């Protein structure tokens, strides 16, 4: 897809020294700051008192994260663009710290192993379907409100 080709993963390469290490440290700082913001938001959502057998807060968090990453990538591709620092902060940092795919995996397995295959299957289907839809929604929002540059 355009997103994957526009934002390829760069190989780690060799350890940098001098100016290259300063540039790398700046990038790491943006990712770390964004990750802290995302993780704190995730923690606060997890403190909402919900008493269900279904992991609704994780599902909602993943859906919100999917919409956010759709908006971020939509702005980067269609809008005024985002600086490398902004992409690192929002896409890698905030979204990476906020979304909870590892928790999703653990909770899915827990539902399946605890003899609740219906809830486990439903949770997996809703999580994947809604989050893919959330990315598309985020990008559609940008297309509606941001003129191409």
């Amino acid at each position: 897809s355009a997103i994957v080709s526009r934002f390829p993963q760069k190989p780690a390469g060799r350890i940098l020294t001098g100016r290259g290490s300063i540039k790398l440290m700046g990038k790491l700082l943006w990712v770390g700051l964004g990750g802290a913001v995302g993780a704190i938001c995730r923690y606060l959502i997890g403190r909402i008192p919900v008493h269900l057998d279904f992991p609704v807060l994780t599902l909602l968090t993943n859906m919100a994260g999917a919409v956010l990453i759709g908006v971020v990538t939509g702005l980067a591709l269609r809008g005024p663009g985002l600086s490398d620092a902004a992409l690192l902060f929002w896409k890698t940092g905030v979204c990476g710290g906020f979304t909870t795919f590892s928790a999703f995996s653990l909770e899915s397995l827990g539902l399946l192993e605890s003899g609740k295959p219906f809830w486990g299957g439903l949770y997996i289907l809703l999580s994947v379907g809604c989050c893919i839809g959330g990315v598309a929604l985020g990008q559609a929002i940008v297309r509606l409100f941001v003129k191409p540059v």
Side-chain angles (χ1 to χ4, degrees), residues 9-125:
Q9 295 295 323
K10 295 179 181 167
R14 61 185 173 80
I15 295 176
L16 301 173
T17 58
R19 289 177 87 65
S21 63
I22 293 170
K23 201 172 187 181
L24 176 62
M25 290 303 293
K27 290 178 179 181
L28 294 175
L29 181 62
W30 284 116
V31 171
L33 290 172
V37 169
I40 289 167
C41 291
R42 172 67 187 109
Y43 171 75
L44 292 173
I45 288 172
R47 300 206 20 105
I48 296 170
V50 175
H51 305 288
L52 300 172
D53 285 338
F54 189 77
V56 68
L57 292 177
T58 302
L59 175 62
L60 293 174
T61 299
N62 286 337
M63 290 168 55
V67 172
L68 178 61
I69 205 166
V71 168
V72 169
T73 57
L75 286 172
L77 292 173
R78 184 179 174 92
L82 295 175
S83 67
D84 286 345
L87 272 175
L88 288 171
F89 178 83
W90 287 104
K91 183 173 163 263
T92 306
V94 174
C95 290
F98 181 66
T99 58
T100 54
F101 200 75
S102 58
F104 155 75
S105 302
L106 180 65
E107 290 168 344
S108 296
L109 183 61
L111 287 168
L112 296 171
E113 287 181 339
S114 67
K116 299 177 182 174
F118 172 79
W119 291 115
L122 179 64
Y123 181 52
I124 292 166
L125 289 173

